[in-house]
């Protein structure tokens, strides 16, 4: 499918025929099976996420995330609501994991992340089959959503899926509350990192995310992601192949955080970083009445325009927008 590409693709495209998912070399070298053993050890005294709860998840003990030996999923399928460079015309192959290592009070997937409704456990073999099913129906990538607490289980599944013919890019779709050890485990497996960067301020992080160290952890994690895969690159049809795509959800009354996050991205990662500044916040989860009254509203058009203005002033030019006008199945 040939199409006219937006400006942010210029200088960052490679022909699809020259692309190979990074995990193929990891598999050929034998390092993938080393990662599987390492992943299993991480579950025995859990250090998968920054909470370091120490639970023996390998034996079924539940840690802070309330997930034991096996990952839990709520749904999977081709997702047409992602960024155009991920959804393409056949969808991003999303796998929504149940539960989360954060407890955002405004979570828009509250029933999945907090309540874990409609969840089911999946073995590594079952998770591998799901990835291959999504590939077989034409999805452009495998998109692991909220993966931070189930990194070892993902590694086990990928080892099986790659042996059985997986060949499309892996997307790691995360809150950025990730440990460096987990990211090291994913190095050589993930092609596209898609972290949120939610708040800059520790007090807001403590109030809204329930973890005051979120800003520090996110900065460290995103820098490591960028070190591994660099700037976002595309094929000739505008599909993302490799790199970092940062999401930032503009929150009511939090433009100071937006400005500082965008400043950090521009100065620490570079002005060529691909950023999606999102306007779709709405009160959800625990945000109701007076409990979190300061964020119990949608953002204004002025707030969103100011966020975009900050990005432009800082030299960030690769800003995501909807550009595909037609989806062809």
């Amino acid at each position: 499918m040939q199409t006219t590409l937006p400006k942010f693709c210029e200088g960052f495209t490679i022909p699809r025929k020259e692309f190979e998912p990074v995990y193929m070399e990891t598999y050929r070298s034998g390092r993938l099976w080393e990662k599987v053993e390492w992943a299993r050890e991480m579950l025995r005294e859990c250090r998968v996420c920054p909470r370091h709860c120490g639970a023996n998840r390998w034996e079924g003990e539940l840690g802070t995330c309330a997930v034991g030996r096996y990952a839990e999923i709520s749904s999977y399928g081709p997702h047409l609501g992602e960024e155009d460079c991920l959804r393409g015309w056949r969808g991003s192959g999303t796998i929504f994991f149940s539960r989360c290592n954060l407890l955002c009070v405004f979570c828009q997937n509250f029933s999945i992340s907090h309540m874990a409704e409609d969840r089911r456990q999946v073995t590594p073999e079952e998770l591998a089959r799901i990835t291959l099913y999504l590939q077989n129906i034409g999805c452009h990538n495998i998109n692991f959503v909220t993966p931070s607490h189930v990194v070892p289980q993902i590694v086990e599944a990928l080892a099986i899926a790659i042996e059985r013919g997986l060949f499309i890019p892996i997307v790691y779709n995360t809150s950025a509350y990730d440990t460096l050890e987990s990211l090291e485990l994913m190095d050589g497996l993930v092609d596209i990192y898609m972290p949120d960067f939610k708040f800059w301020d520790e007090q807001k992080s403590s109030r809204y995310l329930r973890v005051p160290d979120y800003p520090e952890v996110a900065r460290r994690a995103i820098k490591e992601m960028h070190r591994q895969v660099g700037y976002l690159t595309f094929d000739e049809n505008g599909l993302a192949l490799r790199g970092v795509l940062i999401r930032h959800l503009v929150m009511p009354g939090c433009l100071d955080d937006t400005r500082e996050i965008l400043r950090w991205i521009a100065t620490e990662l570079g002005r060529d970083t691909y950023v999606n500044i999102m306007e779709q916040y709405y009160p959800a989860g625990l945000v109701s009445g007076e409990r979190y009254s300061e964020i119990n509203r949608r953002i204004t058009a002025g707030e969103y325009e100011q966020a975009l203005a900050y990005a432009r002033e800082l030299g960030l030019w690769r800003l995501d927008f909807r550009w595909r006008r037609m989806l062809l199945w």
Side-chain angles (χ1 to χ4, degrees), residues 224-291:
E224 172 60 17
M225 295 173 194
H226 185 265
R227 184 197 68 78
Q228 290 182 20
V229 298
Y231 295 122
L232 194 64
T233 57
F234 308 86
D235 70 7
E236 58 270 27
N237 292 313
L239 292 173
L241 295 178
R242 184 169 294 142
V244 174
L245 188 167
I246 300 177
R247 287 173 164 175
H248 172 66
L249 181 64
V250 180
M251 297 285 293
C254 297
L255 282 174
D256 287 349
D257 288 73
T258 295
R259 182 185 62 245
E260 293 309 311
I261 286 169
L262 295 174
R263 187 190 310 280
W264 180 85
I265 291 171
T267 56
E268 294 295 323
L269 305 183
R271 296 176 180 177
D272 291 335
T273 305
Y274 193 100
V275 184
N276 185 3
I277 300 174
M278 302 186 296
E279 61 180 329
Q280 61 262 42
Y281 173 81
Y282 61 88
L286 301 177
V287 179
S288 63
E290 297 300 316
R291 189 173 182 182

Side-chain angles (χ1 to χ4, degrees), residues 57-75:
R57 294 172 62 192
W58 181 260
E59 297 295 336
E61 185 177 349
L62 302 183
T64 305
C65 66
V67 176
R69 167 67 183 95
Y70 296 115
E72 297 177 356
I73 64 171
S74 64
S75 65

Side-chain angles (χ1 to χ4, degrees), residues 62-290:
L62 302 183
T64 305
C65 66
V67 176
R69 167 67 183 95
Y70 296 115
E72 297 177 356
I73 64 171
S74 64
S75 65
Y76 60 89
H79 190 4
L80 296 174
E82 300 287 61
E83 287 81 353
D84 282 357
C85 61
L86 295 179
R87 68 172 181 154
W89 52 97
R90 294 199 182 100
S92 178
T94 49
I95 300 173
F96 284 88
F97 290 103
S98 295
R99 304 196 186 272
C100 183
N101 64 334
L102 283 183
L103 293 171
C104 304
V105 301
F106 55 87
C107 181
Q108 296 178 354
N109 289 323
F110 193 85
S111 64
I112 298 173
S113 297
H114 287 238
M115 307 301 292
E117 297 177 357
D118 300 321
R119 72 187 188 275
R120 70 179 180 93
Q121 284 189 345
V122 288
T123 64
E125 291 80 8
E126 290 171 317
L127 186 54
R129 282 199 296 270
I130 290 170
T131 66
L132 293 169
Y133 164 77
L134 294 171
Q135 175 177 273
N136 290 341
I137 64 172
C139 293
H140 301 294
N141 45 67
I142 302 300
N143 187 342
F144 292 121
V145 183
T146 318
S148 303
H149 59 303
V150 289
V151 165
Q153 292 91 336
I154 289 172
V155 172
E156 289 182 301
L158 284 177
I160 298 168
I162 293 165
E163 277 209 321
R164 296 179 182 175
L166 190 69
F167 62 82
I168 56 178
I170 298 296
V171 181
Y172 188 87
N173 184 341
T174 175
S175 68
Y177 198 58
D178 294 279
T179 63
L180 292 182
E181 184 173 1
S182 285
L183 294 176
E184 185 178 353
L185 189 59
M186 298 307 292
D187 190 7
L189 298 177
V190 172
D191 292 291
I192 301 164
Y193 281 105
M194 187 161 61
D196 291 337
F197 199 154
K198 298 175 183 291
F199 291 104
W200 184 264
D201 180 76
E202 290 182 1
Q203 290 185 336
K204 291 192 187 82
S205 297
S206 182
R207 177 165 171 75
Y208 301 134
L209 311 182
R210 311 285 180 82
V211 283
D213 65 341
Y214 173 82
E216 177 185 354
V217 170
R219 288 192 292 268
R220 187 166 58 236
I222 293 171
K223 286 190 77 169
E224 172 60 17
M225 295 173 194
H226 185 265
R227 184 197 68 78
Q228 290 182 20
V229 298
Y231 295 122
L232 194 64
T233 57
F234 308 86
D235 70 7
E236 58 270 27
N237 292 313
L239 292 173
L241 295 178
R242 184 169 294 142
V244 174
L245 188 167
I246 300 177
R247 287 173 164 175
H248 172 66
L249 181 64
V250 180
M251 297 285 293
C254 297
L255 282 174
D256 287 349
D257 288 73
T258 295
R259 182 185 62 245
E260 293 309 311
I261 286 169
L262 295 174
R263 187 190 310 280
W264 180 85
I265 291 171
T267 56
E268 294 295 323
L269 305 183
R271 296 176 180 177
D272 291 335
T273 305
Y274 193 100
V275 184
N276 185 3
I277 300 174
M278 302 186 296
E279 61 180 329
Q280 61 262 42
Y281 173 81
Y282 61 88
L286 301 177
V287 179
S288 63
E290 297 300 316

